[in-house]
């Protein structure tokens, strides 16, 4: 009955399950690291992209990140027969151990690792970590200064809180496809997994801020990040400009941001020599592009 498997380095595609490995993993020293987060230990229970990428950012900055995977490995390992590039990219610079968190012995291994963690990152569905005995309140009892990060799709409560969430779902609920609509008004998905990546960057920044507070006060905290919140905050400045102020003063912006409007227009132009794009936001820039294109007469166009 194998409980734990060590992946060192994390890029190893083979899975080696070893009995009685918990003490060895805890005792094993991290690879010498430089960077602003050197000496900070992060326990990464997350899978897929949002949590792992957040921890990868911390690892790139010198943190000692230990990735805790189920015995079958992170779900992104199964995306390819060999080592999948997405897994390798968002899990670089980490050590890794596989633990069966469905068994009491596995939870005991996890708790030993939790004792020395400065940061813990999870993206289980709300309530799952608590049921396993490794939720924030459980961890705080054995590690009072821990920075515990819970990433979810829609937050800890509400009608969608317990639903399984992937990037396209958050795109749809946040309105990203409408902002990307083509000139016919048809919504278009972002081809990159923007919600996952924006959530990762948001989480990494929040962890850094929480660590600063911990260094100043000696207190940890529970950081809760919803992917939907992260994406809405990311899109709001210009994507939701027509919904920012109360009243009729924003009528022009609301009209401009309708499906197929200014902010959804594709700024790619098909020219004789290929495709170009340009960004013109001031009259000075408009005058400059008119000169560059050899059409000075456009400067007086009443539509400008």
């Amino acid at each position: 009955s194998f409980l734990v498997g060590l992946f060192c380095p994390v890029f190893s595609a083979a899975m080696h399950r070893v009995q009685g490995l918990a003490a060895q993993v805890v005792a094993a020293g991290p690879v010498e690291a430089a960077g602003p987060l050197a000496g900070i230990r992060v326990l990464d229970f997350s899978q897929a992209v949002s949590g792992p990428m957040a921890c990868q950012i911390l690892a790139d900055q010198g943190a000692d990140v230990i990735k805790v995977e189920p015995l079958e490995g992170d779900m992104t390992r199964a995306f390819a027969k060999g080592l999948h590039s997405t897994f390798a990219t968002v899990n670089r610079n980490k050590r890794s151990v596989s633990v069966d968190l469905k068994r009491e012995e596995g939870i005991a291994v996890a708790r030993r690792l939790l004792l020395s963690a400065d940061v813990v990152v999870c993206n289980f569905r709300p309530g799952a970590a608590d049921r396993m005995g490794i939720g924030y309140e459980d961890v705080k009892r054995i590690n009072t200064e821990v920075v515990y990060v819970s990433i979810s799709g829609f937050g800890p409560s509400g009608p969608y809180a317990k639903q399984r969430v992937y990037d396209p779902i958050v795109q749809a609920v946040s309105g990203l496809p409408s902002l990307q609509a083509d000139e016919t008004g048809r919504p278009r998905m972002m081809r990159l997994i923007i919600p996952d990546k924006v959530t990762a960057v948001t989480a990494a920044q929040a962890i850094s801020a929480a660590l600063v507070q911990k260094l100043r006060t000696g207190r940890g905290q529970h950081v809760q990040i919803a992917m939907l919140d992260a994406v809405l905050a990311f899109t709001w400045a210009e994507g939701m400009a027509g919904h920012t102020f109360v009243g009729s003063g924003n009528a022009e912006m609301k009209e401009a941001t309708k499906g197929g409007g200014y902010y959804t227009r594709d700024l790619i132009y098909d020219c004789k020599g290929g495709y170009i794009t340009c960004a013109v936001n001031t009259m000075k820039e408009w005058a400059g592009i008119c000169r560059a294109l050899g059409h000075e007469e456009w400067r007086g166009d009443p539509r400008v």
Side-chain angles (χ1 to χ4, degrees), residues 197-210:
K197 292 179 176 180
V198 167
T199 302
V201 173
T202 301
Q205 188 279 327
I207 291 167
S208 297

Side-chain angles (χ1 to χ4, degrees), residues 2-290:
F2 299 117
L3 285 176
V4 185
L6 176 66
F7 300 78
C8 191
V10 77
F11 299 124
S12 173
M15 297 187 65
H16 306 288
R17 299 180 183 178
V18 183
Q19 286 181 306
L21 190 60
Q24 295 178 45
V25 174
V26 173
V31 176
E32 286 295 324
L37 295 182
I40 298 295
R41 174 165 290 181
V42 179
L43 206 55
D44 177 13
F45 286 95
S46 64
Q47 290 199 58
V49 175
S50 60
M53 183 176 174
C55 295
Q56 164 248 301
I57 294 171
L58 303 178
D60 288 350
Q61 295 170 347
D64 173 25
V65 180
I66 301 174
K67 183 175 178 66
V68 181
E69 302 183 57
L71 294 184
E72 66 273 14
D74 187 297
M75 61 183 294
T76 56
R77 285 183 181 270
F79 287 179
K81 289 183 178 180
L83 181 62
H84 194 272
S85 58
T86 297
F87 176 85
T89 300
V90 300
N91 290 292
R92 65 175 179 254
N93 293 330
K94 301 178 186 179
R95 296 186 291 161
S96 183
V97 60
S98 63
V99 180
D100 187 353
L101 295 176
K102 296 179 180 179
R103 296 178 55 185
E104 290 184 7
E105 298 95 326
I107 294 297
V109 171
R111 285 177 176 154
R112 291 195 63 183
L113 293 170
L114 287 164
L115 287 171
S116 62
D118 297 291
V119 179
V120 176
V121 178
C122 300
N123 63 353
F124 302 114
R125 276 185 269 187
D130 296 321
R131 290 192 295 273
M132 288 187 285
I134 55 172
Y136 174 61
E137 294 299 329
D138 301 298
V139 176
K140 188 172 68 168
R141 279 193 285 271
I142 62 173
N143 185 343
T144 57
E145 297 183 5
V146 71
V147 173
Y148 191 102
V149 182
S150 300
I151 298 172
S152 62
F154 302 106
S157 61
Y160 300 141
K162 301 300 175 86
Q163 298 299 315
R164 183 180 292 273
V165 175
Y166 290 113
D167 188 279
I169 306 303
V170 178
Q171 284 201 40
V173 176
S174 69
L176 270 181
S178 295
L179 295 175
Q180 290 294 116
D182 61 25
E183 293 186 357
T184 71
R186 184 189 188 282
R188 297 285 180 181
M189 285 283 188
M190 299 287 293
R191 296 196 179 194
L192 296 175
I193 50 174
I194 296 298
D196 273 320
K197 292 179 176 180
V198 167
T199 302
V201 173
T202 301
Q205 188 279 327
I207 291 167
S208 297
L211 285 171
V212 169
Q213 184 181 34
K214 175 183 174 179
L215 290 171
R216 287 177 174 171
T217 67
R219 295 195 303 269
Q221 61 180 284
H222 189 190
V223 179
Q224 299 186 73
I225 299 174
M227 293 176 69
L228 179 60
D229 291 345
V231 174
L232 287 175
F234 176 76
T235 61
W236 201 274
E238 83 291 14
M240 304 293 182
H243 305 282
T244 300
F245 300 111
V246 176
S248 59
N250 229 22
E252 289 185 7
M253 188 60 76
K254 287 183 178 180
E255 182 64 27
T257 55
K258 283 182 178 178
Y262 179 79
Y263 285 106
T264 57
R265 189 173 300 154
D266 185 9
L267 299 177
I268 303 294
Y269 304 97
D270 190 0
C271 302
K272 289 182 179 179
Y275 296 100
I276 68 165
T277 187
C278 64
V280 177
N281 292 294
T282 68
M283 293 308 295
K284 184 178 180 180
E285 291 169 347
W286 175 245
I289 199 168
C290 290

